[in-house]
Amino acid sequence: MLQASRGTVKAGTNFNAGADAEVLHKAMKGLGTDEDAILQLLTARSNAQRQGIKDTYKTLFGKDLIDDLKGELGGKFESLIVALMTPPIAYDVTCLRNAIKGAGTDEKVLVEILASRTPQQVKDIIAAYRQEYDDDLEEDVCGDTSGHFKRLLVILLQVNMIFSSLSALFKAGEQKYGTDEQSFVTILGNRSAEHLRKVFDAYMKMTGYEMEESIQRETSGNLSALLLAVVKCARSVPAYFAETLYYAMKGAGTDDDTLIRVMVSRSEVDLLDIRSHFRRLFACSLHSMIQGDTGGDYRKALLLLCGGDDA
């Protein structure tokens, strides 16, 4: 079970929203900006505390803190700080909206968020999405995706927990020629993580294949990516995110959007567990990979969120 205490970011002790608002205001006042003061303060406060600072800043200075931060900062560092200032559910909602309504669909964001969030979080996301945009998230997803990929996203949005027999999965995959993708979609989309883990173990005994191997062999493209994400999250959400972070930084270029999204959204949830899975799965620590792959204030802030080196 995910526990909030497994995050790297904790609520600051002796918290004083007014004093923090003053520090931020001073950091942005006059010529030049004290980026270091901004990042040191915001990475040492919980999201709830940041919301308190934002409200107090408005009261004290009559200005919107996020607007001021956007005016003073730039690039990836700005994106990271704005993400830190956004309430978690609102952040997921914004990421999903941008993934659907941007130029082309960013399937990777849909996969990551809908496969990894708890049923209650998904319900909260749907409600917040409707409130923010006066749109139905399921309808927007349906309008922007197709086929079995769309069907599984819809099932994940409906967060039903229906149980069914293992034999259906076996028949859908390795036992027969051609793949009944609908069976994979329905069975993997409709079950609790605990139930799915038992199914995977039994599937392995019955077929001699890991579920991931069968999915990779039997499906492709966005559907394959989504099915794999569902399976990996059923096994271990932190391990799934460790892998997501690794591939965001591996090779030429960095997928900064993914790096920011995961580091921010997991910082108060399970980033300590993600770090330990990262160290076990790959030949380096998360800290050292961020250090080698990023720079400047952006790197400083990410390393503070990371909260330590497991080298």
Side-chain angles (χ1 to χ4, degrees):
M1 208 42 217
L2 288 185
Q3 292 173 339
S5 60
R6 298 304 297 156
T8 51
V9 172
K10 312 276 188 227
T13 50
N14 305 321
F15 173 60
N16 182 328
D20 285 352
E22 294 276 5
V23 169
L24 292 173
H25 185 251
K26 189 178 164 201
M28 293 186 278
K29 209 170 65 178
L31 288 173
T33 307
D34 186 351
E35 286 92 354
D36 203 55
I38 294 168
L39 69 88
Q40 293 284 352
L41 190 145
L42 293 179
T43 57
R45 302 290 180 271
S46 67
N47 193 283
Q49 289 176 331
R50 292 180 209 126
Q51 302 316 311
I53 296 167
K54 182 174 170 246
D55 294 343
T56 307
Y57 189 93
K58 180 84 171 172
T59 306
L60 290 176
F61 307 109
K63 293 194 283 188
D64 184 272
L65 176 55
I66 293 181
D67 287 346
D68 280 3
L69 287 165
K70 283 178 174 174
E72 295 291 327
L73 311 175
K76 294 174 286 198
F77 180 54
E78 178 196 322
S79 300
L80 177 59
I81 294 297
V82 169
L84 285 171
M85 288 303 304
T86 311
I89 295 293
Y91 183 56
D92 280 350
V93 164
T94 305
C95 290
L96 287 167
R97 180 72 169 190
N98 293 341
I100 296 165
K101 296 295 181 186
T105 311
D106 191 343
E107 288 88 357
K108 186 167 36 179
V109 176
L110 301 181
V111 166
E112 180 196 300
I113 293 176
L114 295 180
S116 67
R117 301 306 189 253
T118 64
Q120 187 55 53
Q121 285 169 330
V122 172
K123 281 180 190 160
D124 294 343
I125 286 166
I126 291 166
Y129 189 94
R130 184 182 289 286
Q131 194 177 352
E132 182 66 27
Y133 303 112
D134 199 25
D135 279 332
D136 184 285
L137 179 56
E138 188 181 316
E139 282 175 19
D140 283 357
V141 164
C142 286
D144 230 47
T145 57
S146 60
H148 292 292
F149 177 62
K150 174 175 85 174
R151 286 194 196 110
L152 181 49
L153 287 171
V154 167
I155 289 170
L156 292 172
L157 281 166
Q158 291 168 347
V159 288
N160 296 321
M161 297 295 169
I162 307 158
F163 291 83
S164 107
S165 68
L166 170 71
S167 59
L169 248 186
F170 184 43
K171 289 193 188 99
E174 299 296 344
Q175 199 182 37
K176 67 199 238 317
Y177 180 74
T179 306
D180 178 4
E181 290 176 328
Q182 183 59 44
S183 293
F184 268 118
V185 164
T186 309
I187 289 164
L188 291 177
N190 281 316
R191 269 142 202 86
S192 70
E194 190 186 357
H195 177 66
L196 283 177
R197 285 193 291 272
K198 288 175 185 159
V199 169
F200 302 154
D201 290 344
Y203 186 87
M204 176 76 184
K205 286 188 188 117
M206 198 188 252
T207 66
Y209 294 111
E210 288 286 8
M211 182 58 65
E212 291 89 332
E213 293 176 80
S214 290
I215 289 168
Q216 282 169 322
R217 229 190 343 266
E218 305 274 341
T219 63
S220 61
N222 290 327
L223 175 63
S224 182
L226 182 53
L227 287 166
L228 284 170
V230 170
V231 170
K232 285 171 182 172
C233 286
R235 289 195 193 279
S236 164
V237 171
Y240 166 73
F241 279 117
E243 209 174 285
T244 303
L245 285 168
Y246 179 77
Y247 288 109
M249 292 183 279
K250 184 179 179 280
T254 304
D255 179 353
D256 290 293
D257 289 343
T258 297
L259 183 54
I260 291 168
R261 197 171 53 247
V262 176
M263 292 297 290
V264 169
S265 65
R266 309 315 290 186
S267 61
E268 289 182 58
V269 183
D270 54 2
L271 195 48
L272 287 170
D273 297 326
I274 291 168
R275 269 171 41 188
S276 64
H277 280 284
F278 195 101
R279 190 70 192 84
R280 211 181 65 244
L281 290 166
F282 308 108
C284 60
S285 66
L286 176 58
H287 190 280
S288 65
M289 199 161 186
I290 291 169
Q291 187 137 29
D293 226 58
T294 59
D297 294 315
Y298 176 55
R299 171 167 64 190
K300 266 191 220 168
L302 284 171
L303 290 176
L304 285 168
L305 287 179
C306 184
D309 195 352
D310 310 296

